[in-house]
Amino acid sequence: MAVSSTVKTALENKAKEKNVPVNVLVQVYERGESAWLTGSRPGIGMAQWAMARVNSFIRAISQGPKKHDTDLHDVVKDFRRKQLERRNRRG
């Protein structure tokens, strides 16, 4: 599913604030949309469900436990490690 420009902007802001690749948050959001289609709580919209999944993912990165999207947690870990290595090389 395509992510709207409004959602993309929100995800970019979250990515910058939390030091997470935006493409990872887009994937989590899209997985949240797909999960909503398979069943969700009554009264919760697709966008709400998907963004809640993004927020849960971000929280789990630093606090755990990792409930879903565990494959993407490793991507974030590698991203942060590489950023740190680049900073250390620069001095």
Side-chain angles (χ1 to χ4, degrees):
M1 290 180 214
V3 176
S4 72
S5 61
T6 304
V7 170
K8 180 82 170 179
T9 300
L11 294 176
E12 287 170 349
N13 291 337
K14 287 178 184 289
K16 185 175 180 180
E17 180 183 334
K18 299 298 183 178
N19 192 27
V20 177
V22 70
N23 65 318
V24 169
L25 295 185
V26 169
Q27 288 180 57
V28 173
Y29 186 89
E30 289 174 342
R31 290 178 183 186
E33 288 180 325
S34 295
W36 182 87
L37 291 171
T38 63
S40 62
R41 293 183 184 191
I44 304 294
M46 181 187 282
Q48 287 176 292
W49 189 269
M51 194 59 76
R53 185 170 176 139
V54 169
N55 292 332
S56 175
F57 177 81
I58 289 170
R59 192 169 35 257
I61 289 170
S62 58
Q63 299 172 4
K66 294 157 184 65
K67 300 178 193 175
H68 46 73
D69 304 312
T70 55
D71 58 319
L72 297 178
H73 286 276
D74 293 335
V75 174
V76 173
K77 186 177 177 181
D78 290 343
F79 172 79
R80 289 178 172 177
R81 181 184 50 78
K82 288 176 184 176
Q83 269 191 332
L84 184 61
E85 288 173 358
R86 276 185 243 134
R87 273 191 235 134
N88 288 339
R89 275 191 236 134
R90 290 181 194 156

